[in-house]
Amino acid sequence: MIDGSKVNSPSFRVLSEEQCERIHRATLKVLETVGVKVELPEGREILRKAGATVEGEIVKIPKGLVEEALKKAPSSFTVWDRLGNEALELGGRRSHFGGCASCPQILDPRTGERRPCTRADVAEFARMNDYLPNMEFIMLLGQVRDVPSLIATQVEFKETVSNTVKPILMCCNEMDVFEDVYEMLVAISGGADALAERPFLIVYTEPITPLVHGYGLEVALRSVERGLPVVNTPMPMGGATAPVTYAGIITLGTAESVSGIVMQQLVKPGAPSVFGGIPSAMDMLTTIYSYGTPELPLLCSALTDMSHYYDLPMFGTAGVSDSKFLDAQAGMEYGISALASVMCGSNLIHDTGFLDHSEVLSFEGHLLMDELAGYIRQFMKGVEVSDETLALDIIGRVGPGGTFVAEEHTFRHFRELHRTKHLDRSRYQLAQMEGMKPLDQVLREKACEILESHRPAPLAAGVQSRLDQMEKKWWAR
């Protein structure tokens, strides 16, 4: 965890308090006058009973209902790991990085080949994420290509939970899929009550921009009832599914996220809800949803300001790139977005290590992001100013022209300085003698070493065989 709430941590904000207030008022106006399309009848009924106006599938939500619901959502909550230990504290300015277990394609660290993602890749990626100290959760997208799409999410969850103890964030839109995963969760936790008491799964749902709550809403409502935290985060694309102007993108995304949280709080007041969004702009030359553009960190930071305004945990995105390779462009785009996310106080920072506008998963990219997260963790410590750290007595004793190398004060504090795992800080001549390697090669070799050697804590006795039996049922349908 990177805790940006410490007094001296570097920080910034994009929106002033007055701008947040204005976007909030604009959000209320959108929800009250334009409304949202709610495709699930149960969702419309929940809002109608609470005082919203329902016209067909369009629901107009009054200001008072929105503001009352937002007050009920907790400002922070804990997510646990598979072993029952506290793992994530979501809220405030505490930041947690995490990768995704699947993508349509991966860069194979052993061959360098770009190819479709398989369930074996998911297992390996979960194992590597489990090993990395600065990656604190893992997300599932259900994009493995070597199993039928109807059971891709279930298989992906099974492979992931068998290969990591860290919390899992799962994208799931279909109730039958959710029920299969929930059955596994209950088996692993030892019961539904135990799972609700210490959830290690966060459910991810995504409104369809602009202003549609479609697939996934029922999963979100059932998750809330069962005590699972829910992320409600849209992907407004400026110039395509959202206004091209920054304030318009933020307002639309806020309306979409907030309206989902309103429904969650009506179902279960006080349920752990996560505000968020993945706002960016369509590249007008290629029409791609750009992950490397400066709009992504800027708009994510602005939405994080809105999360602080509402005092809600924030789901963010960083450590991503549009580059097709782990090259200078990837490093630049990873670094800028990751630092911005932490400095503005985003909580769940996902998709780290992605390339090619989220089309490619890179093991080496994920390793680089772990290194970068450690770098940022050091940066966010800020500067402690005290009698001990000012070191006036040492400066006086050493005096002009002296050296601090042999001082006890140096010995006492030098371990506080940052130590890199994979970046090259050697002298050029020495590096030549020892066989200098470029960073991408260093990362590729390290990724292969982790995959060969790391063994995460296994599931409890008997649980793995129960999951295997469940999988047989999925295939038999």
Side-chain angles (χ1 to χ4, degrees):
M1 177 177 72
I2 302 174
D3 189 353
S5 63
K6 294 181 179 178
V7 175
N8 294 322
S9 289
S11 64
F12 82 102
R13 61 184 299 169
V14 173
L15 301 175
S16 66
E17 198 66 15
E18 291 74 18
Q19 288 176 313
C20 287
E21 174 63 29
R22 189 166 181 183
I23 288 173
H24 172 59
R25 291 199 303 270
T27 297
L28 293 176
K29 188 168 185 178
V30 168
L31 294 177
E32 196 162 42
T33 61
V34 180
V36 290
K37 182 179 180 182
V38 181
E39 295 180 345
L40 182 71
E42 179 189 352
R44 298 195 296 271
E45 186 61 13
I46 289 168
L47 289 165
R48 186 192 66 76
K49 286 182 177 177
T53 302
V54 179
E55 301 168 357
E57 292 187 325
I58 301 299
V59 182
K60 296 179 179 177
I61 310 174
K63 167 185 172 182
L65 177 55
V66 173
E67 294 189 323
E68 191 61 30
L70 289 175
K71 289 178 186 174
K72 295 175 181 173
S75 59
S76 66
F77 59 87
T78 301
V79 180
W80 309 77
D81 68 17
R82 168 160 65 76
L83 305 178
N85 303 309
E86 292 185 15
L88 308 174
E89 183 63 29
L90 301 185
R93 302 183 70 87
R94 297 175 288 273
S95 296
H96 307 272
F97 283 98
C100 283
S102 70
C103 219
Q105 296 184 307
I106 73 153
L107 282 178
D108 190 319
R110 297 182 179 90
T111 66
E113 176 192 8
R114 177 170 169 158
R115 57 169 175 75
C117 184
T118 68
R119 68 182 295 171
D121 295 324
V122 170
E124 289 203 323
F125 193 82
R127 199 156 72 244
M128 190 175 82
N129 196 82
D130 187 80
Y131 171 86
L132 298 177
N134 297 309
M135 293 293 128
E136 300 179 81
F137 67 94
I138 188 166
M139 185 169 178
L140 310 182
L141 297 175
Q143 294 183 327
V144 289
R145 293 297 194 253
D146 60 342
V147 299
S149 59
L150 291 176
I151 64 170
T153 299
Q154 296 95 313
V155 168
E156 198 169 310
F157 177 83
K158 179 172 175 254
E159 294 293 349
T160 301
V161 80
S162 302
N163 285 282
T164 184
V165 303
K166 293 182 178 179
I168 297 172
L169 182 65
M170 181 184 72
C171 179
C172 179
N173 296 318
E174 305 295 337
M175 271 307 298
D176 55 348
V177 174
F178 174 71
E179 294 294 3
D180 286 341
V181 173
Y182 187 73
E183 185 181 11
M184 287 188 276
L185 285 167
V186 170
I188 295 166
S189 298
D193 291 342
L195 174 63
E197 185 178 342
R198 296 191 173 192
F200 62 92
L201 179 87
I202 306 171
V203 174
Y204 171 100
T205 61
E206 189 173 304
I208 306 164
T209 304
L211 299 169
V212 178
H213 289 283
Y215 53 73
L217 179 56
E218 188 176 9
V219 171
L221 299 182
R222 297 292 83 77
S223 300
V224 165
E225 289 173 343
R226 299 176 192 184
L228 299 176
V230 175
V231 169
N232 191 68
T233 182
M235 290 184 68
M237 182 162 65
T241 62
V244 75
T245 50
Y246 294 165
I249 298 172
I250 298 165
T251 299
L252 194 70
T254 301
E256 292 165 343
S257 186
V258 161
S259 54
I261 291 173
V262 168
M263 285 185 271
Q264 293 167 25
Q265 295 304 314
L266 289 172
V267 168
K268 188 175 182 179
S273 301
V274 180
F275 176 84
I278 314 173
S280 188
M282 182 176 73
D283 185 289
M284 294 296 177
L285 293 177
T286 62
T287 71
I288 68 162
Y289 175 89
S290 176
Y291 252 29
T293 180
E295 274 78 19
L296 181 83
L298 175 69
L299 296 172
C300 282
S301 298
L303 272 182
T304 303
D305 290 334
M306 292 305 299
S307 80
H308 295 154
Y309 177 83
Y310 292 130
D311 199 16
L312 292 171
M314 171 69 188
F315 177 83
T317 306
V320 293
S321 174
D322 291 335
S323 177
K324 313 301 178 286
F325 312 96
L326 194 63
D327 57 7
Q329 177 186 341
M332 182 187 83
E333 293 171 350
Y334 282 1
I336 292 174
S337 61
L339 184 60
S341 284
V342 174
M343 287 185 65
C344 71
S346 184
N347 302 131
L348 275 174
I349 303 173
H350 91 304
D351 273 3
T352 58
F354 271 5
L355 295 172
D356 196 3
H357 51 91
S358 76
E359 286 292 313
V360 177
L361 177 65
S362 166
F363 287 77
E364 300 97 303
H366 202 55
L367 263 178
L368 180 59
M369 272 307 306
D370 185 72
E371 176 80 36
L372 182 55
Y375 191 116
I376 294 173
R377 185 189 301 275
Q378 183 77 11
F379 179 80
M380 291 299 290
K381 288 180 179 177
V383 177
E384 178 188 346
V385 179
S386 65
D387 289 345
E388 172 68 11
T389 60
L390 285 169
L392 290 179
D393 54 338
I394 313 300
I395 295 171
R397 185 164 61 248
V398 171
T403 176
F404 295 83
V405 170
E407 290 295 321
E408 173 63 23
H409 185 269
T410 302
F411 182 75
R412 206 160 53 239
H413 291 285
F414 83 94
R415 292 181 183 82
E416 299 165 11
L417 303 177
H418 179 250
R419 294 276 300 188
T420 179
K421 289 183 179 177
H422 307 303
L423 304 181
D424 183 3
R425 304 206 191 286
S426 64
R427 293 182 185 279
Y428 178 67
Q429 294 89 341
L430 180 61
Q432 272 192 320
M433 291 173 63
E434 296 179 350
M436 184 169 59
K437 299 175 183 176
L439 180 59
D440 59 343
Q441 183 179 343
V442 171
L443 296 173
R444 191 178 311 123
E445 292 175 359
K446 182 61 180 178
C448 293
E449 177 188 322
I450 295 170
L451 297 180
E452 294 301 321
S453 61
H454 181 62
R455 295 292 177 268
L459 293 165
V463 172
Q464 189 69 61
S465 62
R466 292 179 65 185
L467 301 192
D468 292 340
Q469 290 298 317
M470 292 176 195
E471 180 172 354
K472 289 180 180 176
K473 290 192 303 181
W474 313 332
W475 284 91
R477 288 175 187 156

